[in-house]
Coordinates of all heavy atoms in Angstrom, one line a residue:
M391 N 183.6 157.6 67.4 CA 182.6 157.1 66.5 C 182.5 155.7 66.7 O 183.4 154.9 66.8 CB 183.1 157.5 65.1 CG 182.1 157.3 64.0 SD 182.4 158.0 62.4 CE 184.0 157.8 62.1
P392 N 181.1 155.1 66.7 CA 181.0 153.7 66.9 C 181.4 153.0 65.7 O 181.4 153.5 64.6 CB 179.5 153.6 67.0 CG 178.9 154.9 66.6 CD 179.9 156.0 66.6
A393 N 181.7 151.7 65.9 CA 182.3 150.8 64.9 C 181.1 150.5 64.0 O 180.1 150.1 64.4 CB 182.8 149.6 65.5
T394 N 181.3 150.7 62.7 CA 180.3 150.3 61.7 C 180.9 149.7 60.6 O 182.2 149.6 60.5 CB 179.5 151.5 61.2 OG1 180.4 152.5 60.6 CG2 178.7 152.3 62.3
E395 N 180.1 149.1 59.7 CA 180.8 148.5 58.4 C 181.5 149.6 57.6 O 181.0 150.7 57.5 CB 179.6 147.9 57.6 CG 180.1 147.3 56.4 CD 179.1 146.7 55.5 OE1 177.9 146.8 55.9 OE2 179.4 146.3 54.4
T396 N 182.6 149.4 57.2 CA 183.3 150.3 56.4 C 183.5 149.9 55.0 O 183.4 148.6 54.7 CB 184.8 150.6 57.0 OG1 185.5 149.4 57.0 CG2 184.7 151.2 58.4
K397 N 183.6 150.8 54.0 CA 183.8 150.6 52.6 C 185.1 151.3 52.1 O 185.3 152.4 52.6 CB 182.6 151.0 51.8 CG 181.3 150.4 52.2 CD 181.2 149.0 51.6 CE 179.9 148.4 51.9 NZ 179.7 147.1 51.5
K398 N 185.8 150.6 51.3 CA 187.0 151.3 50.8 C 186.5 152.2 49.5 O 185.7 151.7 48.7 CB 188.1 150.3 50.3 CG 188.8 149.7 51.4 CD 190.1 149.0 50.9 CE 190.9 148.6 52.0 NZ 192.1 149.4 52.2
V399 N 187.0 153.4 49.4 CA 186.7 154.2 48.3 C 187.9 154.9 47.7 O 188.9 155.0 48.5 CB 185.7 155.4 48.7 CG1 184.3 154.7 49.1 CG2 186.1 156.2 49.8
T400 N 187.8 155.3 46.6 CA 188.9 156.2 46.0 C 188.3 157.5 45.7 O 187.3 157.7 45.1 CB 189.4 155.5 44.6 OG1 189.8 154.2 44.9 CG2 190.5 156.3 44.0
I401 N 189.1 158.5 46.2 CA 188.6 159.9 46.0 C 189.7 160.7 45.4 O 190.9 160.4 45.6 CB 188.1 160.6 47.2 CG1 189.2 160.6 48.3 CG2 186.8 159.8 47.8 CD1 188.8 161.5 49.5
S402 N 189.4 161.8 44.7 CA 190.4 162.7 44.2 C 190.2 164.0 44.9 O 189.1 164.5 45.2 CB 190.3 162.9 42.7 OG 190.4 161.6 42.0
M403 N 191.3 164.7 45.2 CA 191.2 166.0 45.9 C 192.5 166.8 45.6 O 193.5 166.1 45.1 CB 191.0 165.9 47.4 CG 192.2 165.3 48.1 SD 192.0 165.2 49.9 CE 190.9 164.0 50.1
P404 N 192.4 168.1 45.7 CA 193.7 168.9 45.5 C 194.8 168.5 46.4 O 194.6 168.1 47.6 CB 193.2 170.3 45.7 CG 191.7 170.3 45.5 CD 191.3 168.9 46.0
Q405 N 196.0 168.5 45.9 CA 197.2 168.1 46.7 C 197.2 168.7 48.1 O 197.5 168.3 49.1 CB 198.4 168.4 45.9 CG 199.7 168.0 46.6 CD 199.9 166.5 46.9 OE1 199.4 165.7 46.2 NE2 200.6 166.2 47.9
E406 N 196.9 170.2 48.0 CA 197.0 170.9 49.3 C 196.0 170.4 50.4 O 196.3 170.5 51.6 CB 196.9 172.4 49.1 CG 195.6 172.9 48.5 CD 195.6 172.9 46.9 OE1 196.6 172.4 46.3 OE2 194.6 173.5 46.4
L407 N 194.8 169.9 50.0 CA 193.9 169.3 50.8 C 194.4 168.0 51.4 O 194.3 167.7 52.7 CB 192.5 169.2 50.3 CG 191.8 170.4 50.1 CD1 190.3 170.0 49.5 CD2 191.5 171.1 51.3
L408 N 195.1 167.2 50.6 CA 195.6 166.0 51.0 C 196.7 166.2 52.1 O 196.8 165.6 53.1 CB 196.1 165.2 49.9 CG 196.7 163.8 50.2 CD1 195.6 162.9 50.8 CD2 197.3 163.1 48.9
V409 N 197.6 167.2 51.8 CA 198.6 167.6 52.7 C 198.0 168.0 54.1 O 198.4 167.6 55.2 CB 199.6 168.6 52.1 CG1 200.6 169.2 53.2 CG2 200.4 168.0 51.0
F410 N 197.0 168.9 53.9 CA 196.3 169.3 55.2 C 195.7 168.1 56.0 O 195.9 168.0 57.2 CB 195.3 170.4 54.8 CG 194.4 170.8 56.0 CD1 195.0 171.7 56.9 CD2 193.2 170.3 56.2 CE1 194.1 172.0 58.0 CE2 192.4 170.7 57.2 CZ 192.9 171.6 58.2
A411 N 195.0 167.3 55.2 CA 194.4 166.1 55.9 C 195.5 165.3 56.6 O 195.3 164.8 57.8 CB 193.6 165.3 54.9
D412 N 196.5 165.0 56.0 CA 197.6 164.2 56.6 C 198.2 164.9 57.8 O 198.5 164.4 58.9 CB 198.7 164.0 55.6 CG 198.3 162.9 54.6 OD1 197.3 162.2 54.8 OD2 198.9 162.8 53.5
K413 N 198.4 166.3 57.7 CA 199.0 166.9 58.9 C 198.0 166.9 60.1 O 198.4 166.7 61.2 CB 199.3 168.4 58.5 CG 200.6 168.6 57.7 CD 200.8 170.0 57.4 CE 202.1 170.2 56.6 NZ 202.3 171.6 56.1
M414 N 196.7 167.2 59.8 CA 195.7 167.1 60.9 C 195.6 165.8 61.4 O 195.4 165.6 62.7 CB 194.4 167.6 60.3 CG 194.4 169.2 59.9 SD 194.7 170.2 61.4 CE 193.3 169.8 62.4
A415 N 195.5 164.7 60.6 CA 195.4 163.3 61.1 C 196.6 163.0 62.0 O 196.5 162.5 63.0 CB 195.5 162.4 59.9
D416 N 197.8 163.4 61.5 CA 198.9 163.2 62.4 C 198.9 163.9 63.8 O 199.2 163.3 64.9 CB 200.3 163.6 61.7 CG 201.5 163.1 62.4 OD1 201.6 162.0 62.8 OD2 202.4 164.1 62.7
A417 N 198.4 165.1 63.7 CA 198.3 166.0 64.9 C 197.3 165.4 65.9 O 197.4 165.5 67.1 CB 198.0 167.4 64.6
L418 N 196.2 164.8 65.4 CA 195.2 164.2 66.2 C 195.4 162.8 66.5 O 194.5 162.2 67.2 CB 193.8 164.4 65.4 CG 193.4 165.9 65.3 CD1 192.2 166.0 64.3 CD2 193.1 166.5 66.7
G419 N 196.4 162.1 66.0 CA 196.7 160.7 66.2 C 195.7 159.8 65.5 O 195.3 158.7 65.9
L420 N 195.4 160.3 64.3 CA 194.4 159.4 63.5 C 195.1 159.0 62.1 O 196.0 159.7 61.8 CB 193.1 160.3 63.1 CG 192.3 160.8 64.3 CD1 191.2 161.9 63.8 CD2 191.5 159.7 65.0
T421 N 194.5 158.1 61.5 CA 194.9 157.9 60.1 C 194.2 158.9 59.2 O 193.3 159.6 59.6 CB 194.4 156.4 59.7 OG1 193.0 156.5 59.8 CG2 194.9 155.4 60.6
R422 N 194.7 158.9 58.0 CA 194.0 159.8 57.0 C 192.6 159.5 56.9 O 191.6 160.3 57.0 CB 194.7 159.7 55.7 CG 194.1 160.6 54.6 CD 194.6 160.2 53.2 NE 196.1 160.5 53.1 CZ 196.9 160.0 52.2 NH1 196.4 159.2 51.3 NH2 198.1 160.4 52.2
S423 N 192.3 158.1 56.8 CA 190.8 157.7 56.7 C 190.0 158.1 57.9 O 188.9 158.7 57.8 CB 190.8 156.2 56.4 OG 191.3 155.9 55.2
G424 N 190.7 157.9 59.1 CA 190.0 158.3 60.3 C 189.7 159.8 60.4 O 188.6 160.2 60.8
F425 N 190.6 160.6 60.0 CA 190.5 162.0 60.0 C 189.3 162.5 59.1 O 188.5 163.2 59.4 CB 191.8 162.8 59.6 CG 191.5 164.3 59.5 CD1 191.3 165.0 60.6 CD2 191.5 164.9 58.2 CE1 191.0 166.4 60.5 CE2 191.3 166.2 58.1 CZ 191.0 167.1 59.3
I426 N 189.4 162.0 57.9 CA 188.3 162.3 56.9 C 187.0 161.8 57.4 O 185.9 162.6 57.3 CB 188.7 161.6 55.5 CG1 189.9 162.5 55.0 CG2 187.5 161.8 54.5 CD1 190.5 161.8 53.7
A427 N 186.9 160.6 57.9 CA 185.6 160.0 58.4 C 185.1 160.9 59.6 O 183.9 161.3 59.6 CB 185.8 158.6 58.9
E428 N 185.9 161.4 60.5 CA 185.5 162.2 61.6 C 185.1 163.6 61.0 O 184.1 164.1 61.6 CB 186.6 162.3 62.6 CG 186.8 161.2 63.5 CD 187.6 161.5 64.8 OE1 188.0 162.6 65.0 OE2 187.9 160.4 65.5
T429 N 185.8 164.0 60.1 CA 185.5 165.4 59.5 C 184.0 165.3 58.8 O 183.2 166.2 59.1 CB 186.5 165.8 58.5 OG1 187.8 166.0 59.2 CG2 186.1 167.3 57.9
L430 N 183.8 164.2 58.1 CA 182.5 164.0 57.4 C 181.4 163.8 58.5 O 180.3 164.3 58.3 CB 182.6 162.9 56.5 CG 183.4 163.2 55.2 CD1 183.5 161.9 54.4 CD2 182.8 164.3 54.4
E431 N 181.7 163.1 59.5 CA 180.8 162.9 60.6 C 180.3 164.2 61.2 O 179.2 164.5 61.5 CB 181.3 161.9 61.6 CG 180.3 161.6 62.8 CD 179.0 160.9 62.3 OE1 178.9 160.4 61.2 OE2 177.9 161.0 63.1
K432 N 181.3 165.0 61.6 CA 181.1 166.4 62.0 C 180.1 167.2 61.2 O 179.2 167.8 61.6 CB 182.3 167.1 62.4 CG 182.2 168.4 63.0 CD 183.5 169.1 63.2 CE 183.2 170.6 63.7 NZ 184.5 171.3 63.8
A433 N 180.4 167.1 59.9 CA 179.6 167.8 58.8 C 178.2 167.3 58.9 O 177.3 168.1 58.7 CB 180.3 167.8 57.5
R434 N 178.1 166.0 58.9 CA 176.7 165.3 58.9 C 175.9 165.8 60.1 O 174.8 166.2 60.0 CB 176.8 163.9 58.9 CG 175.6 163.1 58.7 CD 175.7 161.6 58.8 NE 176.0 161.2 60.1 CZ 175.1 160.9 61.1 NH1 173.8 161.0 60.8 NH2 175.4 160.5 62.3
K435 N 176.6 165.9 61.3 CA 175.9 166.4 62.5 C 175.5 167.8 62.4 O 174.4 168.1 62.8 CB 176.7 166.0 63.8 CG 176.8 164.6 64.2 CD 177.7 164.4 65.4 CE 177.9 162.8 65.8 NZ 178.7 162.7 66.8
E436 N 176.4 168.6 61.9 CA 176.0 170.0 61.7 C 174.8 170.3 60.8 O 174.0 171.0 61.1 CB 177.3 170.8 61.2 CG 178.4 171.0 62.3 CD 179.6 171.5 61.8 OE1 179.8 171.8 60.6 OE2 180.5 171.7 62.6
E437 N 174.9 169.5 59.8 CA 173.7 169.4 58.8 C 172.4 169.1 59.4 O 171.4 169.7 59.3 CB 174.0 168.7 57.5 CG 172.9 168.6 56.6 CD 172.6 170.0 55.9 OE1 173.2 171.0 56.1 OE2 171.5 170.0 55.1
L438 N 172.4 167.9 60.2 CA 171.2 167.5 60.9 C 170.8 168.5 61.9 O 169.5 168.8 62.1 CB 171.5 166.2 61.6 CG 171.7 165.0 60.7 CD1 172.1 163.7 61.5 CD2 170.4 164.7 60.0
Q439 N 171.6 169.2 62.6 CA 171.3 170.3 63.5 C 170.7 171.5 62.8 O 169.7 172.1 63.2 CB 172.4 170.8 64.4 CG 173.0 169.7 65.4 CD 174.2 170.2 66.1 OE1 174.9 171.1 65.6 NE2 174.4 169.6 67.3
R440 N 171.3 171.7 61.6 CA 170.8 172.9 60.8 C 169.3 172.6 60.3 O 168.4 173.4 60.4 CB 171.7 173.2 59.6 CG 171.2 174.4 58.8 CD 171.9 174.5 57.4 NE 171.6 173.4 56.6 CZ 170.3 173.4 55.8 NH1 169.5 174.3 56.0 NH2 170.1 172.4 55.0
L441 N 169.1 171.4 59.9 CA 167.8 171.0 59.4 C 166.8 170.9 60.6 O 165.6 171.3 60.4 CB 167.9 169.6 58.7 CG 168.5 169.6 57.4 CD1 168.7 168.1 56.9 CD2 167.7 170.4 56.3
G442 N 167.2 170.5 61.7 CA 166.3 170.5 62.9 C 166.0 171.9 63.3 O 164.8 172.1 63.6
A443 N 166.9 172.8 63.3 CA 166.6 174.2 63.6 C 165.6 174.8 62.5 O 164.7 175.5 62.9 CB 167.9 175.0 63.7
E444 N 165.9 174.5 61.3 CA 165.0 175.0 60.2 C 163.6 174.4 60.4 O 162.7 175.2 60.2 CB 165.6 174.5 58.8 CG 164.8 175.1 57.7 CD 165.5 174.5 56.4 OE1 166.6 175.0 56.1 OE2 164.9 173.7 55.7
G445 N 163.4 173.2 60.7 CA 162.2 172.6 61.0 C 161.4 173.2 62.2 O 160.2 173.5 62.1
Y446 N 162.2 173.5 63.2 CA 161.6 174.1 64.4 C 161.2 175.4 64.1 O 160.0 175.8 64.5 CB 162.7 174.1 65.6 CG 162.2 174.8 66.8 CD1 161.4 174.1 67.7 CD2 162.5 176.2 67.0 CE1 160.9 174.8 68.7 CE2 162.0 176.8 68.1 CZ 161.3 176.1 69.0 OH 160.8 176.7 70.1
Q447 N 161.9 176.2 63.3 CA 161.6 177.6 63.0 C 160.2 177.5 62.1 O 159.3 178.4 62.3 CB 162.6 178.3 62.2 CG 163.7 178.7 63.1 CD 164.9 179.3 62.4 OE1 165.1 179.2 61.2 NE2 165.7 180.1 63.1
F448 N 160.1 176.6 61.2 CA 158.9 176.4 60.3 C 157.8 176.1 61.2 O 156.8 176.9 61.0 CB 159.2 175.4 59.3 CG 158.0 175.1 58.5 CD1 157.6 175.9 57.5 CD2 157.1 174.0 58.8 CE1 156.4 175.6 56.8 CE2 156.0 173.8 58.1 CZ 155.6 174.6 57.1
Y449 N 157.8 175.1 62.0 CA 156.7 174.7 62.8 C 156.3 175.8 63.9 O 155.2 175.9 64.3 CB 156.8 173.4 63.4 CG 156.7 172.3 62.3 CD1 157.7 171.6 61.8 CD2 155.4 172.1 61.7 CE1 157.7 170.7 60.8 CE2 155.3 171.3 60.7 CZ 156.3 170.4 60.2 OH 156.2 169.6 59.1
S450 N 157.3 176.5 64.4 CA 157.1 177.5 65.4 C 156.2 178.6 64.7 O 155.3 179.2 65.2 CB 158.4 178.1 65.9 OG 158.2 179.2 66.7
S451 N 156.7 179.0 63.5 CA 156.0 180.0 62.8 C 154.5 179.6 62.4 O 153.6 180.3 62.6 CB 156.7 180.3 61.4 OG 155.9 181.2 60.6
E452 N 154.5 178.3 62.0 CA 153.1 177.8 61.7 C 152.2 177.7 62.9 O 151.0 178.1 62.8 CB 153.3 176.3 61.0 CG 152.1 175.7 60.5 CD 152.3 174.3 59.9 OE1 152.3 173.3 60.6 OE2 152.5 174.4 58.7
S453 N 152.8 177.4 64.0 CA 152.0 177.3 65.3 C 151.5 178.7 65.7 O 150.4 178.8 66.2 CB 152.8 176.8 66.4 OG 153.1 175.4 66.2
S454 N 152.4 179.7 65.5 CA 152.0 181.1 65.8 C 150.9 181.6 64.9 O 150.0 182.2 65.3 CB 153.2 182.0 65.6 OG 154.2 181.7 66.6
E455 N 150.9 181.2 63.6 CA 149.9 181.6 62.6 C 148.6 180.9 63.0 O 147.6 181.6 63.0 CB 150.4 181.2 61.3 CG 151.5 182.1 60.7 CD 152.1 181.5 59.5 OE1 151.4 180.6 58.8 OE2 153.0 182.0 59.0
F456 N 148.7 179.7 63.4 CA 147.4 179.0 63.9 C 146.9 179.6 65.2 O 145.6 179.7 65.2 CB 147.8 177.4 64.1 CG 146.6 176.7 64.6 CD1 145.5 176.3 63.7 CD2 146.4 176.3 65.9 CE1 144.4 175.6 64.1 CE2 145.3 175.7 66.4 CZ 144.3 175.3 65.5
A457 N 147.7 180.0 66.0 CA 147.2 180.5 67.3 C 146.6 181.9 67.0 O 145.5 182.2 67.5 CB 148.4 180.7 68.2
A458 N 147.2 182.7 66.2 CA 146.6 183.9 65.8 C 145.3 183.8 65.0 O 144.3 184.5 65.3 CB 147.6 184.8 64.9
A459 N 145.1 182.8 64.1 CA 144.0 182.5 63.4 C 142.9 182.0 64.4 O 141.7 182.2 64.0 CB 144.2 181.6 62.3
S460 N 143.3 181.3 65.4 CA 142.3 180.7 66.3 C 141.9 181.7 67.5 O 141.0 181.3 68.2 CB 142.9 179.5 67.0 OG 143.3 178.5 66.0
E461 N 142.5 182.7 67.5 CA 142.3 183.6 68.7 C 140.8 184.1 68.9 O 140.4 183.9 70.0 CB 143.2 184.9 68.6 CG 143.2 185.8 69.8 CD 144.3 186.9 69.6 OE1 144.8 187.1 68.5 OE2 144.5 187.5 70.6
A462 N 140.2 184.5 67.9 CA 138.9 184.9 67.9 C 137.9 183.7 68.4 O 137.0 183.9 69.3 CB 138.3 185.4 66.5
A463 N 138.1 182.5 67.9 CA 137.3 181.4 68.3 C 137.6 181.0 69.7 O 136.6 180.7 70.5 CB 137.6 180.2 67.4
V464 N 138.8 181.0 70.2 CA 139.1 180.8 71.6 C 138.5 181.8 72.4 O 137.9 181.5 73.5 CB 140.6 180.7 71.7 CG1 141.0 180.6 73.2 CG2 141.2 179.5 71.0
A465 N 138.6 183.0 72.1 CA 138.0 184.1 72.9 C 136.4 183.9 73.0 O 136.0 184.1 74.1 CB 138.3 185.5 72.3
E466 N 135.9 183.7 71.9 CA 134.4 183.4 71.9 C 134.1 182.2 72.8 O 133.1 182.3 73.6 CB 133.9 183.2 70.6 CG 132.4 183.0 70.4 CD 131.9 182.8 69.0 OE1 132.5 183.4 68.1 OE2 131.0 182.1 68.8
A467 N 134.8 181.2 72.7 CA 134.5 180.0 73.5 C 134.7 180.2 75.1 O 134.0 179.8 75.9 CB 135.4 178.8 73.1
M468 N 135.8 181.0 75.3 CA 136.1 181.3 76.6 C 135.0 182.3 77.2 O 134.6 182.1 78.4 CB 137.4 182.0 76.8 CG 138.6 181.1 76.5 SD 138.8 179.7 77.7 CE 139.5 180.6 79.0
D469 N 134.6 183.2 76.4 CA 133.5 184.1 76.8 C 132.2 183.3 77.1 O 131.6 183.6 78.1 CB 133.3 185.1 75.8 CG 132.4 186.3 76.3 OD1 132.6 186.7 77.5 OD2 131.5 186.7 75.5
D470 N 131.9 182.4 76.3 CA 130.7 181.5 76.5 C 130.8 180.7 77.8 O 129.9 180.5 78.5 CB 130.5 180.6 75.4 CG 130.0 181.2 74.0 OD1 129.5 182.4 74.2 OD2 130.1 180.6 73.0
D471 N 132.0 180.3 78.2 CA 132.2 179.6 79.4 C 132.0 180.5 80.7 O 131.7 179.9 81.6 CB 133.6 179.0 79.5 CG 133.8 177.8 78.5 OD1 132.8 177.2 78.0 OD2 134.9 177.4 78.2
Y472 N 132.2 181.7 80.5 CA 132.1 182.6 81.7 C 130.8 183.3 81.8 O 130.7 184.2 82.6 CB 133.3 183.5 81.7 CG 134.6 182.8 82.0 CD1 135.5 182.5 81.0 CD2 134.8 182.3 83.2 CE1 136.7 181.8 81.2 CE2 136.1 181.6 83.5 CZ 136.9 181.3 82.5 OH 138.1 180.6 82.8
R473 N 129.8 183.1 80.9 CA 128.5 183.8 81.0 C 127.6 183.0 81.9 O 127.5 182.0 82.2 CB 128.0 183.8 79.5 CG 128.7 184.7 78.6 CD 127.8 184.8 77.4 NE 128.8 185.6 76.4 CZ 128.4 186.0 75.3 NH1 127.2 185.6 74.8 NH2 129.2 186.6 74.5

């Protein structure tokens, strides 16, 4: 993760999540803060990918609808070009 400005925060979480975070951080050679930051960054990237896919699906559908609505006009224009 690129170096950026950091802020200190205080958060509350269930004890079992804190124990899990500490174990995972240790296993990955990270600090608790580093593990939490990497986990949040991963979640952020997944959300951006989900939103991108959602947008792609929306515009794909919209393009298909436009193509279907335009089909008669395109066919007429193409027919005029070949007369």
Side-chain angles (χ1 to χ4, degrees):
M391 185 163 46
T394 60
E395 181 181 356
T396 60
K397 300 284 184 184
K398 284 191 177 257
V399 297
T400 301
I401 61 170
S402 298
M403 69 176 71
Q405 179 67 29
E406 60 271 11
L407 285 180
L408 183 60
V409 169
F410 174 75
D412 287 343
K413 285 181 181 178
M414 292 299 298
D416 186 53
L418 296 169
L420 299 170
T421 63
R422 179 190 293 161
S423 292
F425 173 73
I426 293 170
E428 283 194 8
T429 302
L430 288 172
E431 179 64 20
K432 180 181 176 186
R434 186 183 73 86
K435 286 180 181 177
E436 289 172 357
E437 176 65 2
L438 289 173
Q439 288 177 341
R440 185 193 68 76
L441 289 171
E444 183 179 292
Y446 177 79
Q447 287 176 341
F448 172 80
Y449 286 110
S450 173
S451 171
E452 190 175 83
S453 295
S454 295
E455 291 169 9
F456 178 77
S460 304
E461 188 174 13
V464 170
E466 184 179 324
M468 293 294 287
D469 191 41
D470 287 347
D471 287 344
Y472 291 104
R473 287 186 190 184

